[in-house]
């Protein structure tokens, strides 16, 4: 993770501030920075989203391609994740420097989607054992300003909400050979249901308390963090501890409860924003990258 | 807990309509400034084919016969006498150094110092010639573009709202609680690690957000502008200052007060 150097006195100041529930930028321990979400920013993808959380900038593109289902799950499609930590984000990612972090984030994404509930993979099946939709989810880190996992999970959910998969029909000949026919209408698509897609809430332990949405400076003061993947109903799909420090089992329990609470609010805000954006229709003014 | 999600909006330019008499002459590298050969060339310009051409992107400034281009956003160029706030990234490793300095200064520490000399390759040598300079204790650092820090007589300010500020010419702004006793200046080499009171913290956080707001709208930073912005932000909660609409509102109010003060 990108890190900043801080003096001892600065760290002491941050830690004492967190104890008193007043962080450096005036937020409380459970407050998020202002989030900006925009979908449909990349034209040649099936779905895309861009999320800006303070100084963290994430771009996600989803491409739907046809392929063969996996042998152990012949009736389902699947998702493939790839995370690119570009050198734009921070000089540490130059060359192969960002690969480790990219692998870590991709593996976390695989884990949180690795359950029956998150996404309806059966709807991605075209014909069992032969054809299915594979969704390639590509995450690009444009700028690194702390709290990467949360921003990435919000962007992935928004991009999946924006994904439009073309409707196809399987036609069978008398000889038995199958043909896949694409609908004539380019707007005839199926939309995925993202009701149960989880979002990650990162809780960093600073001193005796934990904070949500840590900036780079706060992450430098925290020795241990807990990543909790929560769905909109408050169900925890995955939990992971990162960092060199240790966590007391009681604090893990407290952090998990905070994560569930914060996660539910995160989901309601995101759902309402995505529906609001969709209701503006195709004529809405797109801001994109030059805004 | 607060969670706010919004759709992005195109940023509006606030400069228009605020009553500036002469429009600035903005140039980009390669633009012709003038074909009159009577002028002397200053920084940011060069002579080519009988005309004066700009070498940086910025605004043209003219003092009698001297024309120079002041760049709007550059890397810091040191001048003798500038105050800078810096972070120690690397140090010389020698036996005497180990014994003497390591007790006082570590890698990652912040110091305030004055520029003593500038070398031809742009490197500067610093000195901390009085107790006013030296290691910085508890506080908040804000990094801004060096071109936004106004050149003034003094860069150490004790603001009446209850905190002190060091406006480094290199763009590093240090906000810290005003020391109680006058003998303990911001410098010295022993950092005070006692907890800062909540009231002081609120002032410091508010100042930090105000400075971020001013920088986002490209307003020059000096003690008066920061103070006016602080006063304009008082009706709002500290964490709300960073919302785009609140930011615009306070900066517009600050700009108006500054214009009134000048006029």
């Amino acid at each position: 993770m990108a890190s900043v150097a801080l003096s001892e006195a600065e760290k002491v100041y941050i830690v004492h501030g967190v104890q008193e529930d007043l962080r450096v930028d005036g937020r409380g321990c459970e407050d998020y920075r202002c989030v900006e979400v925009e979908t449909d920013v990349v034209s040649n993808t099936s779905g895309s989203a861009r999320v800006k959380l303070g100084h963290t900038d994430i771009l996600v593109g989803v491409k739907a391609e046809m392929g063969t289902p996996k042998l152990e799950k012949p009736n389902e499609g699947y998702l493939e994740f790839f995370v690119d930590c570009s050198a734009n984000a921070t000089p540490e990612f130059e060359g192969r420097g960002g690969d480790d972090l990219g692998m870590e984030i991709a593996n976390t994404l695989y884990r949180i989607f690795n359950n029956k509930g998150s996404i309806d993979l059966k709807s991605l099946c075209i014909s069992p054992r032969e054809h299915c939709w594979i969704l390639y989810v590509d995450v690009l880190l444009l700028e690194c300003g702390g709290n990467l996992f949360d921003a990435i999970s919000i962007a992935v959910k928004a991009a999946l909400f924006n994904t439009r998969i073309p409707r196809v029909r399987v036609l069978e000949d008398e000889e038995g050979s199958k043909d896949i026919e694409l609908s004539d209408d380019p707007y005839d698509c199926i939309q995925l249901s993202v009701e149960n897609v989880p979002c990650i809430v990162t809780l960093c332990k600073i001193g005796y308390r934990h904070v949500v949405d840590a900036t780079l400076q706060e992450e430098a003061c925290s020795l241990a963090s807990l990543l909790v993947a929560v769905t909109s109903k408050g169900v925890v799909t995955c939990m992971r501890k990162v960092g060199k420090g240790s966590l007391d089992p009681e604090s893990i329990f407290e952090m998990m409860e905070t994560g569930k609470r914060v996660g539910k609010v995160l989901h309601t805000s995101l759902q309402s924003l995505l529906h609001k954006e969709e209701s503006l229709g195709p004529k809405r003014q797109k801001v994109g990258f030059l805004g | 807990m607060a969670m706010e999600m919004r759709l992005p909006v195109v940023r509006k330019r606030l400069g228009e309509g605020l009553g500036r008499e002469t429009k600035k002459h903005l140039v980009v590298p390669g633009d012709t400034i003038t074909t009159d050969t009577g002028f002397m060339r200053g920084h940011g310009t060069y002579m080519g084919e009988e005309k004066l051409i700009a070498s940086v992107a910025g605004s043209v400034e003219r003092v009698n016969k001297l024309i120079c281009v002041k760049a709007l956003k550059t890397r810091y160029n040191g001048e003798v006498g500038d105050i800078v706030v810096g972070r120690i990234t690397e140090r010389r490793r020698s036996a005497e150094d180990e014994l003497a300095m390591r007790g006082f200064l570590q890698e990652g520490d912040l110091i305030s110092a004055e520029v003593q000399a500038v070398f031809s390759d742009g490197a500067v040598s610093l000195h901390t010639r009085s107790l006013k300079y030296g290691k910085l204790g508890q506080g908040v650092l804000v990094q801004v573009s060096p071109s936004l820090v106004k050149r003034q007589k003094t860069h150490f300010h004790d603001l009446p709202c209850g905190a002190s500020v060091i406006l480094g010419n290199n763009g590093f702004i240090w906000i810290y609680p005003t020391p109680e006793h006058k003998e303990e200046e911001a410098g010295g080499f022993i950092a005070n690690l006692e907890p800062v009171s909540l009231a002081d913290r609120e002032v410091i956080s508010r100042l930090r957000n105000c400075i971020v707001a001013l920088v986002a709208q490209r307003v020059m930073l000096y003690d008066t502008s920061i103070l006016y912005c602080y006063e304009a932000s008082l009706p709002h909660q500290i964490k709300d200052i960073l919302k785009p609409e609140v930011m615009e509102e306070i900066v517009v109010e600050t700009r108006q007060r500054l214009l009134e003060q000048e006029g």
Side-chain angles (χ1 to χ4, degrees):
Chain A
M1 204 82 78
S3 54
V4 284
L6 286 181
S7 67
E8 280 306 310
E10 278 175 284
K11 285 190 190 162
V12 163
Y13 183 81
I14 292 177
V15 171
H16 286 155
V18 167
Q19 309 293 90
E20 304 202 27
D21 202 21
L22 183 69
R23 291 151 84 174
V24 162
D25 49 11
R27 287 184 289 157
C29 291
E30 295 187 6
D31 292 337
Y32 266 83
R33 289 169 282 183
C34 193
V35 188
E36 279 183 9
V37 179
E38 198 185 5
T39 61
D40 207 25
V41 281
V42 183
S43 49
N44 57 345
T45 52
S46 310
S48 58
R50 182 174 177 213
V51 167
K52 272 205 275 203
L53 174 65
H55 281 294
T56 304
D57 203 340
I58 312 278
L59 177 65
V60 172
V62 179
K63 283 194 103 111
E65 302 205 348
M66 260 200 270
T68 20
K70 293 188 179 160
L71 284 174
E72 62 269 16
K73 299 207 169 120
N75 296 323
E76 296 177 352
Y78 55 97
L79 273 75
E80 291 276 353
F81 293 99
F82 175 69
V83 179
D84 181 16
C85 298
S86 94
N88 280 340
T90 148
E92 290 172 15
F93 292 161
E94 197 188 352
R96 304 205 75 101
D99 285 358
D100 285 338
L101 180 62
M103 286 295 304
E104 194 191 328
I105 300 177
N107 287 336
T108 312
L109 287 171
Y110 276 120
R111 265 182 75 180
I112 66 176
F113 278 86
N114 187 20
N115 59 68
K116 293 196 198 71
S118 302
I119 221 172
D120 185 14
L121 295 171
K122 289 200 167 50
S123 64
L124 296 176
C125 180
I126 304 170
S127 54
R129 280 186 301 279
E130 287 171 5
H131 299 109
C132 72
W133 285 112
I134 308 175
L135 295 179
Y136 290 98
V137 181
D138 295 315
V139 179
L140 177 61
L141 242 72
L142 293 168
E143 208 185 332
C144 195
N147 205 19
L148 287 177
F149 286 94
D150 293 28
I152 290 176
S153 66
I154 295 175
V156 166
K157 180 163 181 173
L160 287 172
F161 179 82
N162 181 239
T163 305
R164 302 282 180 270
I165 304 175
R167 213 181 284 274
V168 291
R169 284 189 310 149
V170 184
L171 303 166
E172 258 202 62
D173 284 12
E174 298 89 34
E175 288 102 54
S177 64
K178 292 200 180 138
D179 216 9
I180 298 193
E181 185 191 280
L182 204 61
S183 147
D184 283 333
D185 180 6
Y187 292 107
D188 185 18
C189 307
I190 53 175
Q191 235 182 306
L192 291 170
S193 160
V194 292
E195 291 285 316
N196 291 322
V197 169
C199 273
I200 302 181
V201 176
T202 309
L203 299 123
C204 288
K205 187 145 171 67
I206 298 181
Y208 295 114
R209 297 186 67 158
H210 49 270
V211 297
V212 156
D213 192 21
T215 58
L216 280 178
Q217 284 81 10
E218 288 166 345
E219 281 178 359
C221 300
S222 137
L223 284 175
S225 316
L226 193 70
L227 269 83
V228 182
V230 189
T231 64
S232 52
K233 296 192 182 66
V235 176
V236 174
T237 66
C238 155
M239 210 161 76
R240 216 181 114 208
K241 180 209 161 278
V242 287
K244 301 181 287 200
S246 57
L247 286 176
D248 198 82
E250 270 191 38
S251 12
I252 296 185
F253 183 72
E254 272 174 30
M255 286 157 95
M256 207 169 75
E257 292 299 311
T258 311
K260 282 201 276 192
R261 207 172 355 119
V262 169
K264 277 199 233 173
V265 180
L266 182 78
H267 277 286
T268 30
S269 316
L270 184 59
Q271 305 265 38
S272 60
L273 183 71
L274 290 174
H275 284 296
K276 178 175 146 198
E277 200 189 24
E278 204 185 6
S279 68
L280 290 173
K283 297 225 173 47
R284 71 176 160 99
Q285 187 199 28
K286 289 197 190 171
V287 175
F289 291 89
L290 298 174
Chain B
M1 72 143 290
M3 169 93 228
E4 203 200 319
M5 286 209 189
R6 48 174 71 196
L7 295 173
V9 223
V10 182
R11 265 191 308 202
K12 290 195 302 232
R13 288 176 50 192
L14 282 186
E16 291 129 19
L18 278 177
R20 207 186 276 122
E21 293 90 35
T22 49
K23 285 206 80 139
K24 281 192 184 171
H25 182 195
L26 296 173
V27 289
V28 291
D31 270 359
T32 310
I33 304 174
T34 175
T35 44
D36 188 347
T37 49
F39 289 106
M40 290 191 287
R41 316 180 268 110
H43 287 300
T45 66
Y46 64 97
M47 201 54 128
E49 297 166 29
E50 300 283 319
K51 46 191 181 164
L52 206 56
I53 305 177
S55 62
V56 291
S59 56
V60 177
E61 311 220 323
R62 212 197 98 192
V63 180
N64 296 332
K65 284 252 167 213
L66 177 70
I67 289 197
C68 61
V69 181
K70 193 173 98 132
L72 291 172
K73 194 171 176 180
T74 60
R75 238 183 118 222
Y76 171 61
N77 290 319
E79 308 277 338
V80 177
D82 277 356
I83 311 287
V84 294
V85 170
R87 198 184 286 284
I88 299 177
T89 49
E90 237 183 275
R91 33 192 320 167
R92 257 202 287 251
R93 290 170 193 282
S94 69
E96 302 88 29
D97 183 47
E98 286 282 344
L99 292 170
M101 280 297 256
R102 217 160 263 278
F104 300 124
L105 291 174
Q106 303 274 350
E107 271 100 332
D109 276 348
L110 280 173
I111 57 162
S112 69
E114 198 179 313
V115 173
Q116 186 185 39
V118 181
F119 299 104
S120 51
D121 61 353
V124 292
S125 97
L126 304 170
H127 64 173
T128 56
R129 63 188 161 114
S130 74
L131 274 181
K132 194 167 72 164
Y133 306 109
K135 182 156 137 176
L136 298 174
Q138 292 194 56
V140 174
L141 182 74
V142 185
Q143 286 173 262
V144 309
S145 165
S147 51
L148 286 173
V149 179
K150 190 166 179 181
R151 276 237 150 80
Q152 287 194 290
K153 266 208 214 118
T154 167
H155 288 255
F156 290 77
H157 303 286
D158 280 338
L159 298 174
C161 46
S164 303
V165 124
I166 305 182
L167 298 166
N169 287 95
N170 60 337
F172 278 37
I173 315 250
W174 178 248
I175 316 171
Y176 60 105
T178 311
E180 305 246 307
H181 316 289
K182 264 305 145 197
E183 305 93 56
E184 289 171 41
E185 298 280 5
F189 289 96
I190 316 287
N192 181 7
L193 293 178
E194 275 175 32
V196 175
S197 73
L198 192 61
D200 282 345
R201 272 180 201 280
E202 288 184 352
V203 174
I204 292 176
S205 295
R206 195 175 277 277
L207 278 173
R208 181 229 178 240
N209 285 354
C210 287
I211 292 179
V212 169
L214 288 170
V215 164
Q217 302 289 348
R218 315 291 303 173
V219 175
M220 288 294 275
L221 291 173
Y222 55 108
D223 53 349
T224 322
S225 65
I226 296 178
L227 196 59
Y228 285 172
C229 193
Y230 179 87
E231 286 167 8
S233 76
L234 283 173
H236 303 277
Q237 275 204 329
I238 306 175
K239 59 187 176 194
D240 288 338
I241 301 177
L242 294 174
K243 288 193 188 150
E245 60 284 353
V246 178
M247 219 193 274
E248 266 179 46
E249 191 194 312
I250 20 181
V251 174
V252 162
E253 201 185 310
T254 310
R255 268 207 165 117
Q256 282 183 329
R257 273 184 79 180
L258 287 171
L259 280 175
E260 276 165 35
Q261 191 216 23
E262 280 169 34

